[in-house]
Amino acid sequence: MSALLAPSSLILTALADGPRTGYAVIRKVATLSAGEVKLRPGTLYGTLEHLTERRLVKIDREEAAGGRLRRYYRLTATGRASAPADPSTGAPPRLAALDGLRLIAALAVAVHHYTAYWALDGVHTPAYFLPDASRVTIYGFLGVELFFMISGFAICMSSWGRTLRYFFASRAGRLYPAYWTCVLITAAVTTLLPISGHIPQRVPLSWTDIGVNLTMVQEPLGVPAVDNVYWTLWAELRFYLLFAVVVVWGVTYQRTVIFLMTWMLAACAAVWLDVPLLTVVTVGEFAGYFIAGVAMYLMHRFGPTPLLWLIIGLSWWVNLHRLEERVGPHGFGIPVWPAVVIVTLGYVILLLIALGRRGPGWRWLTLAGALTYPFYLLHQRIGYTVIRYGYELTDLPVAVLIGGTVVLMLGPAWLVHRYVERPFGPRLRTALRRAAKPRAGSSATR
């Protein structure tokens, strides 16, 4: 299928603003897809019948006009909840609670980075200044695990009905404009305002290093990252490549479940057989979190089933089994049980969202969710610089410096979102979709 979305998704979108006749739906779908999708009557009414059976659409009324019967269709409550929210992109409805969870994960990671592993004054780690708080905030690294679960949920949600070229164009448009900007900003700050002492990053970086970083594949190429947090992007990219298999196949409940079970077995086999290449391909120790997120979205879309509960339960058990490896290297000889509680709580919260507990519908949560990506990209290395200079130039307590830096970093994150992501993300998506569109006479279908 060369369309942006499956016909069912486009029909749901076309009916989102009120009842329409079949002919009006055909015209609306053509408008929504910029002329790329022209539904034939047979396809339209067959799809409407299918959507009616699924209780997503119902007949609103019938009118006689010019000797012919005109039938109007409208969305049911279930159909309205399933309809894409953005008619121009087919984007699924945003879940405010999911955005709020993203914000919590981002803040946890930032506080973790600011209170561990680097020499705040050039000599002492933050634990020297905040010995009690650091033993708690050190668990903030688990925000990464929560990010991966949310990513699994969100990617499955946004990929439903998409073709491969739209899937990759969407991902590139989402990731790269903000990433390129943040790489350059971070490189500029570290060059103009260098700090000495132990920091978890190699400096200075060459122009070649920075150039390779712009590709987002610096890790497999063995090039140091401009910011240490970029390592998670390589895990995300591998997840996208794996899920692209489902997109090519066609994202359905059955196919996605088969993919998840196969992936789970392959990831476990990679550990058991100790095959490094297979570990890299299956996303190693983080596969279970992506798998859990995808399974929870299936539960959100189709309702809970014993098989989905089994997949989620197995992923939870595998993740807990491997937590000790994640906790061990993080210093202090910290106990594992708080990490178990935190990961389990993350599962519970995302499950509640999947099962329809959407939580507060505060609009600011949507903005907060949008800021988390640029905030995550900018916070660590620039935050170290802000805290170090703040410590040297002011008499503010370390706790105030760290808390103030967390809030301060939301400012540049908003600027990147407002002036880079919002204007340039859609343009890049559109350009990539057009570039990948088969030319007239081509035998390619995707």
Side-chain angles (χ1 to χ4, degrees), residues 223-294:
V223 174
V226 168
D227 195 312
N228 207 43
V229 298
Y230 297 169
W231 71 267
T232 60
L233 300 177
W234 175 231
E236 286 277 350
L237 289 177
R238 285 178 286 161
F239 166 53
Y240 298 160
L241 289 172
L242 286 170
F243 201 77
V245 174
V246 188
V247 176
V248 172
W249 196 5
V251 186
T252 66
Y253 173 85
Q254 184 177 19
R255 292 167 182 171
T256 306
V257 166
I258 293 172
F259 166 76
L260 293 180
M261 295 176 69
T262 304
W263 185 11
M264 177 76 78
L265 289 173
C268 291
V271 176
W272 180 53
L273 297 173
D274 192 23
V275 181
L277 179 59
L278 186 58
T279 300
V280 171
V281 171
T282 59
V283 202
E285 63 185 303
F286 301 109
Y289 296 102
F290 291 113
I291 289 169
V294 174

Side-chain angles (χ1 to χ4, degrees), residues 110-118 125-127 130 133-134 137-138 332 402:
V111 172
H112 163 75
H113 285 146
Y114 294 162
T115 58
Y117 313 126
W118 71 292
T125 65
L130 304 168
S134 292
T137 58
I138 197 167
F332 292 142
I402 291 174

Side-chain angles (χ1 to χ4, degrees), residues 86-320:
D86 185 346
S88 65
T89 65
R94 290 195 71 92
L95 299 176
L98 202 65
D99 288 320
L101 204 56
R102 281 194 184 98
L103 178 63
I104 291 172
L107 294 177
V109 172
V111 172
H112 163 75
H113 285 146
Y114 294 162
T115 58
Y117 313 126
W118 71 292
L120 189 147
D121 61 353
V123 178
H124 303 97
T125 65
Y128 174 82
F129 304 95
L130 304 168
D132 295 326
S134 292
R135 292 179 180 273
V136 176
T137 58
I138 197 167
Y139 290 99
F141 73 89
L142 292 169
V144 170
E145 276 76 350
L146 185 54
F147 268 133
F148 289 155
M149 278 203 294
I150 295 171
S151 181
F153 190 105
I155 294 305
C156 187
M157 177 170 62
S158 63
S159 301
W160 213 271
R162 296 287 181 103
T163 61
L164 184 63
R165 66 190 177 97
Y166 280 95
F167 172 71
F168 278 117
S170 174
R171 290 298 88 211
R174 173 72 180 94
L175 294 181
Y176 276 103
Y179 176 74
W180 289 330
T181 304
C182 292
V183 167
L184 297 177
I185 292 173
T186 302
V189 170
T190 56
T191 300
L192 297 174
L193 298 171
I195 57 176
S196 58
H198 172 69
I199 55 173
Q201 181 183 6
R202 195 191 86 179
V203 287
L205 296 174
S206 68
W207 288 109
T208 303
D209 292 335
I210 295 171
V212 173
N213 269 257
L214 293 174
T215 67
M216 207 182 285
V217 293
Q218 62 275 0
E219 184 169 337
L221 295 176
V223 174
V226 168
D227 195 312
N228 207 43
V229 298
Y230 297 169
W231 71 267
T232 60
L233 300 177
W234 175 231
E236 286 277 350
L237 289 177
R238 285 178 286 161
F239 166 53
Y240 298 160
L241 289 172
L242 286 170
F243 201 77
V245 174
V246 188
V247 176
V248 172
W249 196 5
V251 186
T252 66
Y253 173 85
Q254 184 177 19
R255 292 167 182 171
T256 306
V257 166
I258 293 172
F259 166 76
L260 293 180
M261 295 176 69
T262 304
W263 185 11
M264 177 76 78
L265 289 173
C268 291
V271 176
W272 180 53
L273 297 173
D274 192 23
V275 181
L277 179 59
L278 186 58
T279 300
V280 171
V281 171
T282 59
V283 202
E285 63 185 303
F286 301 109
Y289 296 102
F290 291 113
I291 289 169
V294 174
M296 288 184 200
Y297 175 69
L298 293 179
M299 191 175 282
H300 173 74
R301 189 180 183 96
F302 298 100
T305 66
L307 184 56
L308 291 178
W309 281 116
L310 177 63
I311 292 172
I312 293 169
L314 284 175
S315 73
W316 173 77
W317 188 254
V318 170
N319 288 333
L320 294 190

